Amino acid sequence: MLHVVILAAGEGKRMRSALPKVLQPVGGRPMLAHLIDSVTGLSPDQIHIVIGQGAEQVQAAFPEFNGQWVHQTERLGTGHATRQAMPQIDADARVLVLPGDMPLVRSSTLAALLDEPADLSLLSFMADDPTGYGRILRDAQDRVFDIREQADASAQEAMVKEVNSGVLVARAEDLARWLSALMPKNVQGEYYLTDCIGLAVAEGIRVSGVIAEDARELMGANDRAQLALLEAVWQGRCRHQLMVDGAVLQDARSVYVNGHVSVGQDVVIGPNVYFQGEVVLGDGVTIGPGCVITDSQLEARSKVLPYSVLEGVKTTGAVSVGPFARLRPGTRLAEGVKVGNFVEVKQATVGVGSKINHLSYIGDAVLGEGVNVGAGTITCNYDGVNKHQTTIDSGAFIGSNTSLVAPVHVGEQATVGAGSVISKDVEPNQLSLTRAPQKEVKGWKRPTKPSS
Ligand code: UD1
Ligand code: MG
């Protein structure tokens, strides 16, 4: 039986933030969300999350978590935090304890630690800069005999580069015994989980210290600088995965993923592209430089030209968007649609082959097939109180600089003359226009400057 305990009650003082530390994002998701994913991969019998500082905020961030929330009412250290979970854990269960601020650990690394044939196993790593981590102390036979926190370390101990990840595995019965024997006799006056190692060694228990191959997945984040390091590692992983899945990243280091992107093959992603939320890109999609794409699904061979911003967009065929287009939630584009520069589209369905090429606002609208929307067309969807719908049927041609005052309906194959303000429905197959007739003023002269 496997129980997992995640320690997430700490204040995270060093983060200097109103947001509890475990909710600080990496790749756009709370650190704790990453950890829950990793431990869920182990199919444990129960997950216990110890919360304290900002407990309500942390719980609210995980409405679907179906493990146990455990409350630590005072912040007395990692040992004290772990102890709060023990009453809910069977004596013969194995317990995996993890700090809540190390989001990059992989399931496979944890699984390997669980396979260790020892009574107490801990995961360590070699740090170029061990500052802030507990140092692993080994005897002449290379056996771990203690962990020394930075604050309590002698100058010599502080030089040790093997550091504690904070992850350990033990039998519940043993762990509960060590935890109740902990004393806060250290510089910070805390009950250190790490002191369990010394207690176990004193009992003659076999301790196994596993040095992780990839130190980067065990880094913790106590402050913003460490959080930035974790972010960089995470982004590296996301970029690598995109390339493994078949995407070309023209300047990989400048592509950011805050969420999850799935790509078909031969997708091309330009420099400085930001993805957020859930993004799906079909085969051969190209995303030009400087685009921001959020929660969108683009079908195969769609092209997003440079500096376009898309959110909540779905295409049902290959489309061309941009450069400099802004597509807002509820945009639905069919095969062959073109949305050009300085066009904003919101809550609108655009039918096969329709074009909105320049400087337009199309909001709360349904466009049929083969519609041509001229430059500077505006759907006047808002009367100051309510939003209204514009419908443009297939084959209609809207002349440049037209205002469509919604609610309004333009019939099939209708033509609207440039510069019109359309506030009544437009008949199909007709030319409608509201333009004032052009007139010539005979004998009019341009003003001239007074002669001095
Ligand atoms: C801890 C370890 C250190 C290790 C490092 C790895 C101890 C004493 N030290 O130090 O050896 O190298 O992690 O990143 O264990 N927490 C609680 N309640 C508390 C205190 C902390 O739930 O009373 C939680 C925190 O929210 C955090 C985790 O425990 O998620 C670790 O606490 P933190 O303060 O980050 O410990 P470190 O100083 O990083
Ligand atoms: Mg920490």
Side-chain angles (χ1 to χ4, degrees), residues 19-37 57-58 60-63 100-104 227 230-231 234:
L19 196 65
K21 177 159 75 169
V22 294
L23 295 187
Q24 297 291 339
V26 168
R29 298 171 69 221
M31 290 203 270
L32 186 53
H34 291 272
L35 265 179
I36 293 174
D37 283 355
Q57 224 179 326
V58 176
F62 297 94
D101 61 349
M102 50 166 305
L104 304 182
L227 195 62
L230 263 56
E231 183 70 42
W234 178 257

Side-chain angles (χ1 to χ4, degrees), residues 112-452:
L113 187 72
L114 287 167
D115 285 344
E116 276 298 299
D119 297 314
L120 172 59
S121 313
L122 58 95
L123 202 50
S124 68
F125 63 98
M126 304 306 296
D128 294 335
D129 175 10
T131 310
Y133 292 103
R135 311 299 204 273
I136 304 286
L137 305 183
R138 291 181 185 261
D139 63 17
Q141 279 75 47
D142 213 28
R143 290 176 306 211
V144 176
F145 68 91
D146 212 346
I147 297 180
R148 190 77 69 237
E149 289 308 302
Q150 163 126 357
D152 307 294
S154 66
Q156 203 182 353
E157 288 167 338
M159 281 168 34
V160 172
K161 297 228 160 160
E162 184 187 353
V163 299
N164 175 30
S165 69
V167 181
L168 62 79
V169 181
R171 262 194 312 270
E173 195 182 10
D174 293 337
L175 188 59
R177 188 174 64 253
W178 302 325
L179 290 172
S180 50
L182 292 178
M183 300 291 276
K185 279 198 253 162
N186 49 59
V187 171
Q188 304 187 79
E190 290 185 356
Y191 294 90
Y192 286 167
L193 175 62
T194 44
D195 284 348
C196 289
I197 282 72
L199 293 167
V201 168
E203 286 182 7
I205 283 233
R206 263 182 310 149
V207 178
S208 160
V210 178
I211 305 177
E213 276 170 37
D214 182 1
R216 293 173 308 171
E217 64 175 281
L218 300 177
M219 295 193 301
N222 293 324
D223 57 31
R224 305 263 187 192
Q226 286 175 320
L227 195 62
L229 283 178
L230 263 56
E231 183 70 42
V233 174
W234 178 257
Q235 292 302 334
R237 266 193 210 176
C238 293
R239 292 163 191 151
H240 183 78
Q241 190 60 46
L242 285 173
M243 293 187 270
V244 167
D245 293 344
V248 174
L249 271 54
Q250 291 173 326
D251 176 20
R253 279 174 308 173
S254 71
V255 172
Y256 287 83
V257 179
N258 280 332
H260 180 256
V261 182
S262 73
V263 291
Q265 59 186 31
D266 300 314
V267 164
V268 178
I269 299 169
N272 292 312
V273 171
Y274 287 71
F275 294 107
Q276 302 180 117
E278 228 10 78
V279 174
V280 181
L281 306 177
D283 291 348
V285 166
T286 63
I287 309 288
C291 291
V292 180
I293 313 233
T294 306
D295 292 322
S296 293
Q297 200 177 321
L298 307 182
E299 283 294 303
R301 292 175 303 286
S302 289
K303 283 187 173 33
V304 182
L305 303 174
Y307 304 105
S308 297
V309 178
L310 280 64
E311 180 179 0
V313 176
K314 226 177 179 165
T315 80
T316 51
V319 303
S320 171
V321 172
F324 300 103
R326 178 170 185 217
L327 306 188
R328 294 168 52 201
T331 297
R332 300 285 173 267
L333 309 179
E335 172 76 30
V337 165
K338 287 180 91 174
V339 176
N341 37 233
F342 310 109
V343 172
E344 177 178 348
V345 181
K346 181 215 82 168
Q347 204 65 50
T349 300
V350 184
V352 174
S354 290
K355 296 187 177 70
I356 314 162
N357 275 335
H358 330 268
L359 299 151
S360 293
Y361 171 61
I362 301 296
D364 301 307
V366 177
L367 276 62
E369 299 183 5
V371 170
N372 195 311
V373 175
T377 296
I378 307 293
T379 52
C380 309
N381 60 330
Y382 187 48
D383 59 14
V385 183
N386 295 306
K387 299 278 170 64
H388 301 282
Q389 189 83 12
T390 299
T391 309
I392 307 176
D393 289 343
S394 296
F397 179 98
I398 312 295
S400 296
N401 201 25
T402 294
S403 298
L404 297 161
V405 183
V408 72
H409 178 194
V410 178
E412 223 172 282
Q413 298 290 336
T415 301
V416 174
S420 295
V421 177
I422 297 296
S423 50
K424 290 192 303 202
D425 287 356
V426 173
E427 292 293 306
N429 304 307
Q430 305 289 332
L431 167 66
S432 301
L433 72 170
T434 65
R435 201 186 304 159
Q438 187 167 333
K439 58 184 174 192
E440 280 81 46
V441 180
K442 298 270 186 247
W444 180 83
K445 293 227 161 41
R446 273 195 202 174
T448 52
K449 282 197 191 288
S451 53
S452 50

Side-chain angles (χ1 to χ4, degrees), residues 40-85:
T40 301
L42 302 168
S43 310
D45 296 280
Q46 186 60 281
I47 301 173
H48 309 260
I49 303 183
V50 184
I51 47 176
Q53 194 68 28
E56 284 166 21
Q57 224 179 326
V58 176
Q59 273 179 290
F62 297 94
E64 275 153 36
F65 173 64
N66 59 6
Q68 296 266 340
W69 294 108
V70 178
H71 290 270
Q72 183 194 24
T73 47
E74 289 174 287
R75 241 58 58 218
L76 299 179
T78 49
H80 180 263
T82 310
R83 203 171 157 184
Q84 309 311 305

